[in-house]
Amino acid sequence: MTKPLVFITRQIATDATARLQEVADVEVWPQEDPPPLSVLLDKISHVDGIITMLTDPINSEVIKAASPKLKVISQMAVGFDNIDVARATERKIPVGHTPGVLTETTADFAWALILAAARRVVEADRQVRKGIWKPWGPDVLTGFDVYGAILGIIGFGRIGQAVARRAKGFNMRIIYHSRQRKPDAEQEFGASYVSLEDIFRFSDILSLHLNYTPAAYHLVNRERLSLMKPSAILVNTSRGAVVDSEALVWALQNKVIAAAALDVFDPEPIPPNHPLLFMENVVLTPHIASASRETRRRMAFMAVDNVVAALAGKPIPYCVNPEVYQ
């Protein structure tokens, strides 16, 4: 009996691929760069399942081209704004993702960015590598104290709370803003709920952890950046489109805020001539907040679990659109 066919848009953990090969014939895109749209259109037209990444545009055109036998789109990521979920739901195609697995890893990385930006670690590293070693002086590479500072968190879900948990060790005052208040978390972390305007106004360090929705587009804009302290630091490990990058460039150039640390951009990758690339007071990383070996392996297995369940005719365990089963 012929096995079902599954296409994976990038190399994933070999043992996760091996598990999938027990129940399916598996084809893996061999390159580091994402497969072009023409390849996605071709593959989805005849496979039974597909494992995708955030950089794959699974838009209405791709879903329209899907084979009638396609049983699942399984994304190896928590987010899924690259997938036209509504169109997939119309086609009764379950969409899977990998929730929860990124929490601690992303919180660790957010803290790496906070400390790097506050203490000018990347700037100092560049100077050492270039042979620029200024004599010790009162103002040489002075940064900002994190201990005892006010940490603002926008988006107080699992990752935001994990960041807050780490902040307790730095004796920080925690303020947050989210769509809903979290009384239990407020008690656990001593956190205070504040308005959106006040979190910009009072934060020494403002860390973004909200899910992306159309309402979140350019939430961080020129008007809100203008409310921030001139010593404030903005950190974004959520989604690039949450921040108006032109407004951020303006705020940094005009010393409206002191620094920023960004793991996500809009678009990605960041254009090679973007002004942010030439600023010393910005830490930039290429969307790697979840990039630990352990986490990526767990993500791979969760994505495979979705496919294995779908191929067996069962509901997928990590489903974005469970209404397809109604």
Side-chain angles (χ1 to χ4, degrees), residues 6-272:
V6 176
F7 178 61
I8 308 178
T9 65
R10 228 78 89 250
Q11 299 274 3
I12 64 173
T14 55
D15 48 352
T17 303
R19 180 169 184 272
L20 185 55
Q21 288 171 329
E22 294 174 2
V23 298
D25 291 325
V26 179
E27 183 179 353
V28 180
W29 180 250
Q31 301 177 26
E32 288 188 357
D33 291 337
L37 180 61
S38 59
V39 171
L40 290 174
L41 290 168
D42 173 57
K43 298 301 181 184
I44 207 167
S45 70
H46 62 270
V47 298
D48 299 89
I50 185 169
I51 293 179
T52 60
M53 312 292 151
L54 268 175
T55 47
D56 299 318
I58 312 301
N59 54 30
S60 59
E61 180 185 5
V62 173
I63 293 173
K64 183 179 179 181
S67 165
K69 66 177 183 176
L70 183 73
K71 296 178 176 62
V72 63
I73 299 168
S74 183
Q75 174 119 305
M76 192 176 138
V78 174
F80 45 85
D81 45 278
N82 60 310
I83 300 174
D84 190 335
V85 176
R87 183 73 174 122
T89 303
E90 289 176 7
R91 292 281 308 271
K92 296 292 183 180
I93 302 168
V95 175
H97 66 148
T98 59
V101 69
L102 309 180
T103 299
E104 302 303 333
T105 302
T106 302
D108 281 352
F109 195 77
W111 266 98
L113 293 181
I114 288 169
L115 291 168
R119 297 303 304 271
R120 300 170 67 179
V121 172
V122 176
E123 186 181 352
D125 177 85
R126 280 195 293 260
Q127 289 191 15
V128 171
R129 291 176 188 275
K130 292 178 180 178
I132 303 170
W133 193 297
K134 297 178 181 178
W136 188 94
D139 296 322
V140 173
L141 287 170
T142 52
F144 301 91
D145 282 334
V146 171
Y147 189 87
I150 299 174
L151 174 64
I153 300 173
I154 300 181
F156 211 49
R158 285 177 294 212
I159 296 174
Q161 290 179 34
V163 170
R165 186 175 300 111
R166 288 155 174 77
K168 292 178 71 175
F170 287 87
N171 195 32
M172 301 182 84
R173 178 189 167 196
I174 301 165
I175 59 177
Y176 79 97
H177 181 83
S178 64
R179 285 179 292 181
Q180 295 180 332
R181 289 192 64 166
K182 308 289 179 69
D184 291 343
E186 289 177 20
Q187 184 173 3
E188 180 179 355
F189 305 115
S192 300
Y193 176 86
V194 297
S195 69
L196 190 58
E197 288 70 26
D198 279 349
I199 204 164
F200 282 90
R201 189 173 289 119
F202 296 124
S203 297
D204 294 312
I205 299 162
L206 180 58
S207 194
L208 307 179
H209 301 284
L210 63 167
N211 294 325
Y212 183 76
T213 65
Y217 179 75
H218 286 185
L219 180 87
V220 180
N221 55 27
R222 188 163 176 160
E223 179 182 358
R224 293 189 175 114
L225 286 166
S226 298
L227 298 173
M228 297 184 76
K229 301 174 183 179
S231 58
I233 298 168
L234 177 72
V235 178
N236 188 13
T237 55
S238 59
R239 285 291 181 268
V242 171
V243 177
D244 180 344
S245 59
E246 289 186 9
L248 180 58
V249 168
W250 165 82
L252 291 164
Q253 287 177 337
N254 291 280
K255 299 183 179 180
V256 175
I257 65 173
L262 311 172
D263 185 51
V264 287
F265 308 90
D266 183 29
E268 290 185 0
I270 187 171

Side-chain angles (χ1 to χ4, degrees), residues 268-291:
E268 290 185 0
I270 187 171
N273 60 346
H274 199 284
L276 288 170
L277 295 172
F278 307 98
M279 294 182 172
E280 291 289 347
N281 56 340
V282 184
V283 177
L284 306 172
T285 55
H287 204 146
I288 57 169
S290 67

